[in-house]
Amino acid sequence: MITLYLAEDQSMLSSALAQLLNLEDDLKVLGTSGDGQTAWLDINRLKPDIAILDIEMPKATGLDVADDILAAHLATKVIILTTFAQKAYFARAVKAKVSGYLLKDSPSDDLVTAIRNVMTGQTIYDPELVRNMVNAADNPLSDQEMVVLKSAADGDTTKEIAEKLFLSNGTVRNYLSAIFSKLGVHNRLEAVNMAKNNKWF
Amino acid sequence: MITLYLAEDQSMLSSALAQLLNLEDDLKVLGTSGDGQTAWLDINRLKPDIAILDIEMPKATGLDVADDILAAHLATKVIILTTFAQKAYFARAVKAKVSGYLLKDSPSDDLVTAIRNVMTGQTIYDPELVRNMVNAADNPLSDQEMVVLKSAADGDTTKEIAEKLFLSNGTVRNYLSAIFSKLGVHNRLEAVNMAKNNKWF
DNA sequence: GAATAGGGATGACAAATGTCACATGATTCA
DNA sequence: TGAATCATGTGACATTTGTCATCCCTATTC
């Protein structure tokens, strides 16, 4: 019997999957939750064989939970189940040594198969993911630049950014200029769009 | 026996729901698809009792499909199943005389209940939706203003917007200024953020 | 100890942006 | 018919943005 835990903030999917998985003779869902925080508490308590984690959830992401599981040396294996084939997400997942990374646009049968395969020690990455990885852009921005860009993304003016970050007006403009040149764009909106499309935030 | 059609572009959810619904004695899923165009073709051919439609899908939205169904005077009833409790979406759904509007963060059992209730002639709106409707902002922008804002949202500069829309530079700036004043903001980025948050695009 | 790189800052400049007041022709509505 | 409204445009203005060259200070490295 393989025991499972399901963390997914979309109830429709979460409840549907839980019911389906429980129909399988060899699978048992020990619990579910809709946010990363309770997910981690539950997992640490219930110690399921496999935790199926969505990435974008309230309070803590599935990747945060995966980190926690790794740090606590639990035997629980992790399958990430997400909409997003983003390089950055995938890279973090690999660092957290997850056993599987599935996309929500594969059918639910794939999840069942993945669960059984992961249980035998295999590592499962969605093939579409690997394709997307190739032409995905790496984030070329420094930490500081990202902070500036994030603030700009909120619609903050140069002056407001400068005040928030305790920098001078000119410095902020320099940072933005450097950001644009790195990204090959010429204004804030384009830079923000690019960052959002690549999920750099 | 209630016959169903399922249009949902996220395979994981679509396949899971289809399996679950088919487990019910009185329900039968005639078909599924992941885009609005094939959904409409299938529905017109299969004439299910109820079509369950996601809104945001490739090629045509669920609301487009609902319009088609209404225009063709099919007996098929429509249940919209979406992530978004947006005023604009809901208003369009009501205009298309849909029989139900459910959010994906309600459990799948709710969907089953809704299907049976809709079949008896009831109209089902997610209660959370009604709550969200109250404090949701209406889009105060004119069509032309929306076009301008959309272009700006792509990162286009004033000049580029003017060229695209065959307007003078000054006119575009006037439009943007009017937009900002209506929205209570002071630059493009803020305006775009507000529009995106309210799903005005 | 000199060279180098990186974070932060200045000053200067051109261009873009945001704001206003106002003009004109077309449409709508009383 | 006349008033009101709307879409579009102009000109003028103050600010903000984006770009660049250059500078200072502090680590880091050879």
Side-chain angles (χ1 to χ4, degrees):
Chain A
M1 176 66 77
I2 305 176
T3 58
L4 304 170
Y5 187 88
L6 199 51
E8 158 64 53
D9 71 333
Q10 196 176 278
S11 299
M12 185 71 53
L13 183 59
S14 161
S15 61
L17 284 181
Q19 288 187 55
L20 271 188
L21 294 173
N22 272 330
L23 288 177
E24 305 287 325
D25 292 335
D26 55 338
L27 305 182
K28 169 122 191 77
V29 178
L30 301 182
T32 68
S33 72
D35 72 276
Q37 196 174 297
T38 40
W40 163 237
L41 294 174
D42 285 355
I43 290 167
N44 195 27
R45 187 162 45 81
L46 301 169
K47 309 226 186 314
D49 295 321
I50 298 181
I52 298 158
L53 307 176
D54 188 14
I55 293 190
E56 301 199 347
M57 289 187 292
K59 299 196 182 153
T61 71
L63 294 170
D64 295 335
V65 177
D67 286 340
D68 289 341
I69 292 173
L70 183 67
H73 302 292
L74 295 193
T76 299
K77 291 171 190 293
V78 170
I79 295 176
I80 295 288
L81 178 63
T82 179
T83 315
F84 308 103
Q86 295 305 139
K87 199 169 188 169
Y89 281 170
F90 185 60
R92 256 199 77 187
V94 171
K95 258 191 212 120
K97 300 201 193 304
V98 308
S99 303
Y101 195 113
L102 279 194
L103 297 179
K104 284 187 192 170
D105 56 7
S106 30
S108 50
D109 293 342
D110 282 15
L111 178 59
V112 178
T113 321
I115 289 169
R116 298 209 176 98
N117 286 335
V118 161
M119 214 42 209
T120 71
Q122 288 182 54
T123 305
I124 309 290
Y125 297 144
D126 195 300
E128 198 195 327
L129 194 67
V130 185
R131 247 170 286 138
N132 274 2
M133 267 340 55
V134 181
N135 50 2
D138 252 331
N139 183 346
L141 304 182
S142 72
D143 291 352
Q144 201 51 277
E145 286 166 345
M146 280 305 293
V147 177
V148 170
L149 186 56
K150 260 178 228 165
S151 183
D154 293 337
D156 292 350
T157 164
T158 308
K159 198 191 297 175
E160 289 166 340
I161 301 173
E163 279 163 11
K164 270 193 199 172
L165 305 183
F166 306 103
L167 294 175
S168 89
N169 212 281
T171 303
V172 172
R173 307 235 297 290
N174 285 339
Y175 273 110
L176 283 168
S177 196
I179 290 168
F180 302 155
S181 125
K182 282 188 184 177
L183 301 185
V185 301
H186 293 92
N187 63 57
R188 294 150 190 249
L189 247 161
E190 283 186 302
V192 168
N193 283 343
M194 178 166 297
K196 279 186 181 159
N197 289 338
N198 289 290
K199 293 252 160 203
W200 290 338
F201 291 147
Chain B
M1 176 67 76
I2 305 176
T3 57
L4 303 171
Y5 188 87
L6 200 50
E8 158 65 51
D9 70 332
Q10 195 177 278
S11 298
M12 185 71 53
L13 182 59
S14 162
S15 61
L17 285 180
Q19 288 188 55
L20 271 189
L21 294 173
N22 273 330
L23 287 177
E24 306 286 324
D25 293 335
D26 56 338
L27 305 182
K28 169 121 191 81
V29 177
L30 301 182
T32 67
S33 72
D35 72 275
Q37 196 174 296
T38 39
W40 163 238
L41 293 174
D42 285 354
I43 290 168
N44 195 28
R45 186 163 44 82
L46 301 170
K47 308 225 188 313
D49 296 321
I50 299 180
I52 299 158
L53 308 176
D54 188 13
I55 293 190
E56 301 199 347
M57 288 186 293
K59 297 197 183 154
T61 71
L63 294 170
D64 295 335
V65 177
D67 286 341
D68 289 341
I69 292 173
L70 183 67
H73 303 293
L74 294 194
T76 299
K77 293 171 189 291
V78 170
I79 295 176
I80 295 287
L81 177 63
T82 179
T83 314
F84 307 103
Q86 295 305 138
K87 199 169 188 168
Y89 282 169
F90 185 60
R92 256 199 79 188
V94 171
K95 258 193 211 118
K97 301 203 193 302
V98 307
S99 303
Y101 195 114
L102 279 195
L103 298 180
K104 284 186 190 168
D105 56 7
S106 31
S108 51
D109 293 342
D110 283 15
L111 177 60
V112 178
T113 322
I115 289 170
R116 299 211 174 96
N117 286 335
V118 161
M119 215 41 209
T120 72
Q122 289 181 54
T123 305
I124 307 289
Y125 296 145
D126 195 301
E128 198 196 327
L129 194 67
V130 185
R131 247 171 285 140
N132 274 4
M133 269 338 55
V134 181
N135 49 3
D138 251 330
N139 183 347
L141 303 182
S142 73
D143 290 352
Q144 195 59 270
E145 286 167 343
M146 280 304 293
V147 178
V148 171
L149 187 55
K150 260 177 229 166
S151 183
D154 293 338
D156 291 350
T157 163
T158 308
K159 198 191 298 175
E160 288 166 341
I161 301 173
E163 278 162 12
K164 270 192 198 172
L165 305 182
F166 305 103
L167 295 175
S168 87
N169 211 282
T171 304
V172 173
R173 307 235 296 291
N174 284 339
Y175 273 109
L176 283 167
S177 197
I179 290 168
F180 302 156
S181 121
K182 282 188 185 177
L183 301 186
V185 301
H186 293 92
N187 64 55
R188 294 141 125 90
L189 218 4
E190 282 186 301
V192 168
N193 283 343
M194 178 166 297
K196 279 186 181 160
N197 289 337
N198 289 290
K199 293 253 159 203
W200 291 338
F201 291 147

